[in-house]
């Protein structure tokens, strides 16, 4: 157990729908990062939050949004889903970033 | 964003062989990390490097922070079937800033 909790583990939904992925960071970590990994692809950085505020943005589509709440958990919202959004979505957390990120086990999203 | 190039993209080796992979960046980094991702799981940190020239081991794994600070290397000795997975490098230019991830090296070990 890495200490980073992601729910749900699996999600199957239809095109056009909206889903919310949840992440609880490791205790004490203020930063949360979201990554997308499509089949046989690398990790695509989506967005970072630090202590409730957006810190950095990567290749995140306008249909996607995220937020970090006062208790530091984060949610990634994916709307108007398309088949191409099917992927593994990882959340990672860190303290000051010196020691890298700790990843959760991911949410596998399948859009049918 | 930063571009990290990992090579090779994939490797197929016999059990017991040694493995070498590397990662290069277009910028100078002050921290390099190596992660391993098992199928269907999240990446797990293997080794962290903080100083140019630093050589750090974790069991059969050895990683080096390149002298130019623009590259890093990972070696696995005497590979075993459980070494199968995708290996990612990651680097950052400044402490506390975002880490950039490489494209990954997929390792297959043939028993």
């Amino acid at each position: 157990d890495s200490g980073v909790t992601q729910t749900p583990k699996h999600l199957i939904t239809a095109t056009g729908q909206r889903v919310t992925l949840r992440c609880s960071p490791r205790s004490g970590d203020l930063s949360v990062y979201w990554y997308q990994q499509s089949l046989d692809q690398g990790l695509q950085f989506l967005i970072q939050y630090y202590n409730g505020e957006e810190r950095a943005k990567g290749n995140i589509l306008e249909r996607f949004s995220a937020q970090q709440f006062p208790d530091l958990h984060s949610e990634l919202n994916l709307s108007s889903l398309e088949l191409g959004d099917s992927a593994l979505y990882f959340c990672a957390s860190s303290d000051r970033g010196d020691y890298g990120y700790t990843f959760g086990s991911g949410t596998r999203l399948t859009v049918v | 964003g930063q571009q990290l190039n990992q090579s090779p993209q994939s490797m197929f080796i016999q059990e017991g062989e040694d493995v070498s992979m590397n990662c290069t960046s277009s910028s100078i980094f002050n921290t390099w990390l190596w992660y391993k991702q098992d199928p269907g799981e999240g990446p797990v940190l293997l080794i962290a490097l903080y100083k140019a020239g630093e050589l750090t081991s974790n069991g059969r794994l050895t990683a080096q922070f390149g002298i130019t600070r623009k590259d890093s290397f990972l070696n696995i000795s005497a590979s075993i079937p459980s070494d199968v997975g995708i290996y990612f490098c990651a680097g950052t230019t400044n402490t506390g800033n975002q880490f950039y991830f490489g494209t990954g090296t997929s390792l297959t070990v043939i028993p």
Side-chain angles (χ1 to χ4, degrees):
Chain A
D1 182 7
S2 68
V4 178
T5 304
Q6 287 188 250
T7 57
K9 197 159 177 63
H10 301 278
L11 199 49
I12 301 175
T13 190
T15 54
Q17 295 298 306
R18 172 190 168 94
V19 297
T20 297
L21 312 184
R22 183 188 168 102
C23 170
S24 293
R26 202 176 51 163
S27 178
D29 286 355
L30 299 179
S31 280
V32 169
Y33 308 81
W34 286 97
Y35 284 84
Q36 180 192 55
Q37 186 178 39
S38 302
L39 191 64
D40 294 333
Q41 297 294 312
L43 296 161
Q44 299 296 318
F45 171 66
L46 296 178
I47 198 164
Q48 176 199 355
Y49 278 83
Y50 178 81
N51 203 20
E53 293 190 3
E54 182 183 303
R55 174 66 69 89
K57 225 170 186 176
N59 299 321
I60 187 166
L61 299 172
E62 284 193 14
R63 300 183 286 108
F64 296 0
S65 65
Q67 55 185 327
Q68 186 178 27
F69 295 87
D71 67 353
L72 300 178
H73 90 271
S74 178
E75 292 181 356
L76 179 67
N77 301 297
L78 315 175
S79 61
S80 303
L81 285 167
E82 302 174 359
L83 295 178
D85 297 328
S86 296
L88 266 169
Y89 290 84
F90 287 106
C91 165
S93 72
S94 72
D95 46 14
R96 295 184 304 132
D98 302 54
Y99 303 106
Y101 305 165
T102 301
F103 282 84
S105 56
T107 292
R108 181 174 292 281
L109 173 67
T110 303
V111 182
V112 297
Chain B
Q2 298 285 349
Q3 192 80 8
L4 294 190
N5 296 310
Q6 270 187 259
S7 64
Q9 190 173 6
S10 61
M11 302 180 76
F12 294 81
I13 61 167
Q14 293 284 341
E15 182 177 358
E17 288 184 359
D18 295 343
V19 173
S20 290
M21 59 188 79
N22 67 75
C23 191
T24 60
S25 76
S26 55
S27 300
I28 289 175
F29 283 165
N30 68 357
T31 301
W32 281 98
L33 308 174
W34 284 92
Y35 284 84
K36 183 196 175 198
Q37 183 181 23
D38 290 328
E41 297 295 325
V44 174
L45 182 64
L46 298 174
I47 293 178
L49 302 158
Y50 301 104
K51 229 176 352 181
E54 181 180 356
L55 195 68
T56 298
S57 293
N58 178 4
R60 293 176 296 104
L61 278 62
T62 301
Q64 183 163 23
F65 193 138
I67 293 293
T68 66
R69 296 173 64 191
K70 290 186 175 183
D71 54 11
S72 181
F73 310 90
L74 177 69
N75 295 309
I76 305 173
S77 62
S79 59
I80 59 177
S82 62
D83 290 333
V84 165
I86 303 176
Y87 291 80
F88 290 101
C89 63
T92 187
T93 54
N94 282 304
T95 300
N97 282 4
Q98 177 191 340
F99 275 89
Y100 298 94
F101 281 80
T103 48
T105 293
S106 175
L107 178 64
T108 301
V109 179
I110 303 165

